[in-house]
Amino acid sequence: MVTPMIKKDKSNEILRKQKLFFRTNRTLDIKLRLAYLKKLYKTIEKYEQEIFEALYKDFKKSTFEAFGSEVALIQEEIKYFLKNLPKLARPEKVKSSITSFPAKSYIYREPYGICLIIGPWNYPVQLIFEPLVGAIAAGNCAVLKPSELAAHTSAIVKIIVNEVFDEEYVSVIEGGADVTQVLLAEKFDHIFFTGSVKVGKIVYEAAAKNLTPCVLELGGKSPCIVDKDADIDLAARRIVWGKFLNGGQTCVAPDYLLPHKSVKKQLLNKILFYINKFYGDDPKLSPDYPRIINGRNFTRLKSFLSDGETLIGGEFEETDKYIAPTVLDNISWNDHVMQDEIFGPILPVMEYDDLEEVLNDIKDRPKPLALYYFSKNKKKQEKVLREVGFGGGCINDTLYQFGNPSIPVGGVGNSGIGKYHGKDSFYAFSNSKGIVKKSNKLDIPFRYPPYKGKLKLLRLIFKL
Ligand code: NAD
């Protein structure tokens, strides 16, 4: 597919139209937001088959995964807002400070205005529509820039959006880095970016020029620790699922495995067992195993295969962009595969002896987007959760922090800035205005100058 070039005047024109539409205040109407969310729900439902086909064409994603990890998550998010938006959008009454007496205090959540939402290719439906749902729920207009690498899916996203919204409300602009650069040069009121750390920095720099608030949903190396007291069979099953879903091309996938040395052998045997059970003797023939998105990523991943010792998998086929589910043993922190996010079906393994030590190894590195810890010991679970900084994660499972609208999703430090999903999406796309509504009936003169002789009483009021 040829990337359509977007001229600067085109993005100017869309922005101008959206600004005019936003100024009409129509998006402040909760009924309008709910109506559009319902329409979006129905239209995604209508195009479900086309979405499945596009995802299959882009990287052979199975219908089961396309439904479970893309469509269903968006629909859940919409359902959350259909139920909770009226309450979320209401001004929130909060306690007033004693010095403002007599007054009432509120938080008003106002939409930012025009939001730019830039999506990645790996969950190309979910990761463009979930932020959109939050943006619409909070009363914004939006320009969407889906990833050019999932070109078939980008096209269907555009069809859906054009059917639901007028361009002055939500618009899709397709294209690659050049198009994104044109958009980033515009002054948006908010930017929501999902993608790599490298491009995240470009987006943040562009946003800084206009002091545009942004959410950055980035990636990183997410550790998966399996302690000696874990349920090894269950851990292996859940790790294989979380690692190889979407062909390992999941931002929150376990990037590398840290088994306690006493259970490593047993765990790896079970991992082999479950890879075979899930994908058969030859995963290339499995209808459930996706391909690598493009040649560049295939070559990048292939270069990791010479690290350590290939314990499981290691086969690849360039024409099909196929890489078998692979486990690499005898890996060290200095190996090539341990320098950057893998983002593919390759699992390096490094055993550990002492939990404290391995946690320090993790803390020495950029804060991960996710962390998974397998252990039955509640005390150790709490230790890991409280002592290590990371975006979010699971105890005794993988990925599930992502599919729950009640849990905020996002990284910290290198793995991202800001959170979303459910109410956090609403807040991510809203400016929280603190408002004091003061009574005119009483105006206590104490606050006004001259202050002579008042300090003592002020201290008493503050109890300081
Ligand atoms: P990417 O950063 O290459 O691309 C993301 C978007 O940025 C695309 O729309 C692309 O067109 C645009 N882009 C690419 N290069 C650009 C440039 N030089 N200037 C401006 N825009 C540019 O990411 P990707 O390969 O699509 O996705 C994979 C990455 O995204 C991984 O690092 C993964 O961890 C991360 N990710 C994070 C989350 C999350 O929720 N935190 C979710 C999915 C993916």
Side-chain angles (χ1 to χ4, degrees):
M1 186 174 152
V2 181
T3 305
M5 286 299 295
I6 162 203
K7 297 239 164 56
K8 195 162 172 42
D9 359 332
K10 172 76 179 154
S11 65
N12 272 165
E13 173 64 8
I14 288 174
L15 231 84
R16 195 187 58 77
K17 279 190 187 166
Q18 292 206 351
K19 278 182 181 155
L20 283 176
F21 179 67
F22 186 73
R23 283 280 180 89
T24 64
N25 290 331
R26 285 191 58 207
T27 68
L28 297 185
D29 180 359
I30 307 302
K31 284 198 197 107
L32 177 115
R33 299 183 203 174
L34 290 169
Y36 273 96
L37 289 174
K38 272 185 206 153
K39 200 170 166 196
L40 180 61
Y41 186 102
K42 287 220 155 72
T43 312
I44 289 174
E45 203 170 53
K46 175 177 154 191
Y47 283 100
E48 203 177 74
Q49 204 50 44
E50 285 84 350
I51 291 174
F52 297 158
E53 280 162 21
L55 286 164
Y56 190 81
K57 282 185 193 152
D58 281 330
F59 57 111
K60 290 200 176 163
K61 186 160 176 156
S62 69
T63 300
F64 184 87
E65 285 192 12
F67 178 74
S69 69
E70 307 248 16
V71 172
L73 296 188
I74 306 162
Q75 305 296 57
E76 281 295 294
E77 185 82 353
I78 295 178
K79 281 201 287 193
Y80 170 87
F81 279 111
L82 294 180
K83 188 164 168 224
N84 295 293
L85 179 59
K87 187 162 172 246
L88 278 170
R90 228 177 276 147
E92 185 186 343
K93 191 157 189 281
V94 291
K95 224 176 130 196
S96 290
S97 63
I98 184 160
T99 49
S100 66
F101 179 82
K104 286 178 181 158
S105 300
Y106 298 89
I107 303 170
Y108 276 66
R109 300 221 154 77
E110 67 173 10
Y112 279 114
I114 319 301
C115 302
L116 172 62
I117 298 174
I118 305 169
W121 62 264
N122 64 327
Y123 289 86
V125 190
Q126 187 226 130
L127 293 175
I128 204 85
F129 280 127
E130 279 216 36
L132 176 67
V133 169
I136 294 302
N140 298 278
C141 296
V143 173
L144 310 184
K145 210 300 287 171
S147 171
E148 73 285 9
L149 298 191
H152 295 96
T153 315
S154 171
I156 191 73
V157 163
K158 188 169 177 132
I159 290 171
I160 292 171
V161 168
N162 286 350
E163 195 161 314
V164 178
F165 302 94
D166 289 332
E167 156 175 283
E168 61 189 10
Y169 191 1
V170 180
S171 168
V172 175
I173 295 182
E174 291 184 281
D178 51 343
V179 169
T180 321
Q181 296 282 354
V182 171
L183 290 168
L184 286 173
E186 299 285 357
K187 183 161 172 30
F188 282 88
D189 299 305
H190 186 273
I191 300 175
F192 189 103
F193 171 80
T194 309
S196 60
V197 173
K198 186 174 138 239
V199 181
K201 287 181 183 171
I202 296 173
V203 171
Y204 208 25
E205 210 175 313
K209 290 199 178 111
N210 291 315
L211 291 177
T212 306
C214 29
V215 170
L216 302 176
E217 296 288 334
L218 310 178
K221 289 189 87 62
S222 300
C224 178
I225 310 170
V226 181
D227 215 330
K228 56 187 168 195
D229 58 358
D231 180 329
I232 299 301
D233 183 68
L234 197 58
R237 205 182 315 156
R238 291 175 176 174
I239 292 166
V240 170
W241 172 75
K243 177 69 190 185
F244 300 110
L245 183 101
N246 217 39
Q249 304 163 113
T250 301
C251 55
V252 286
D255 186 274
Y256 58 98
L257 183 62
L258 300 164
H260 189 271
K261 70 175 189 186
S262 63
V263 293
K264 177 181 151 189
K265 198 162 174 243
Q266 192 194 351
L267 180 71
L268 293 180
N269 282 337
K270 287 284 181 188
I271 285 180
L272 174 63
F273 171 81
Y274 283 112
I275 289 175
N276 283 338
K277 189 169 158 97
F278 293 174
Y279 302 111
D281 289 342
D282 184 0
K284 193 158 30 90
L285 304 177
S286 164
D288 302 324
Y289 189 66
R291 297 302 185 257
I292 306 306
I293 186 72
N294 64 2
R296 190 172 56 82
N297 275 299
F298 176 85
T299 310
R300 185 182 60 78
L301 289 165
K302 202 177 84 177
S303 75
F304 296 144
L305 296 175
S306 48
D307 279 5
E309 178 198 340
T310 305
L311 210 65
I312 302 170
E315 301 85 13
F316 56 86
E317 199 179 294
E318 189 143 12
T319 45
D320 195 23
K321 295 194 281 296
Y322 165 78
I323 295 184
T326 296
V327 177
L328 302 176
D329 197 6
N330 294 331
I331 294 292
S332 81
W333 291 105
N334 297 327
D335 276 314
H336 179 42
V337 72
M338 288 308 296
Q339 302 317 304
D340 267 318
E341 180 184 15
I342 298 168
F343 213 57
I346 300 171
L347 184 65
V349 182
M350 290 184 292
E351 65 177 40
Y352 76 93
D353 193 11
D354 178 45
L355 184 64
E356 194 72 38
E357 238 170 65
V358 86
L359 294 186
N360 281 331
D361 283 335
I362 295 168
K363 285 188 231 171
D364 283 342
R365 291 169 170 79
K367 288 182 182 166
L369 181 58
L371 184 144
Y372 305 109
Y373 179 61
F374 289 81
S375 163
K376 288 183 200 143
N377 184 313
K378 292 225 160 62
K379 237 170 139 180
K380 287 200 278 180
Q381 291 174 2
E382 284 307 304
K383 176 182 171 66
V384 173
L385 294 181
R386 286 173 193 277
E387 291 182 10
V388 188
F390 57 95
C394 300
I395 296 291
N396 294 324
D397 211 335
T398 60
L399 311 192
Y400 265 95
Q401 74 276 22
F402 214 91
N404 178 353
S406 306
I407 292 181
V409 159
V412 53
N414 246 54
S415 52
I417 295 171
K419 304 277 172 180
Y420 78 129
H421 282 198
K423 71 173 179 344
D424 290 280
S425 270
F426 187 79
Y427 299 149
F429 283 100
S430 307
N431 168 40
S432 294
K433 278 197 296 208
I435 299 295
V436 172
K437 290 190 182 173
K438 200 71 198 248
S439 162
N440 281 349
K441 289 198 182 120
L442 186 66
D443 190 36
I444 302 167
F446 180 70
R447 67 165 143 164
Y448 301 115
Y451 301 130
K452 198 163 175 253
K454 292 180 177 173
L455 184 60
K456 216 170 159 189
L457 182 55
L458 189 62
R459 281 186 188 280
L460 267 175
I461 292 169
F462 277 113
K463 295 187 184 138
L464 294 171

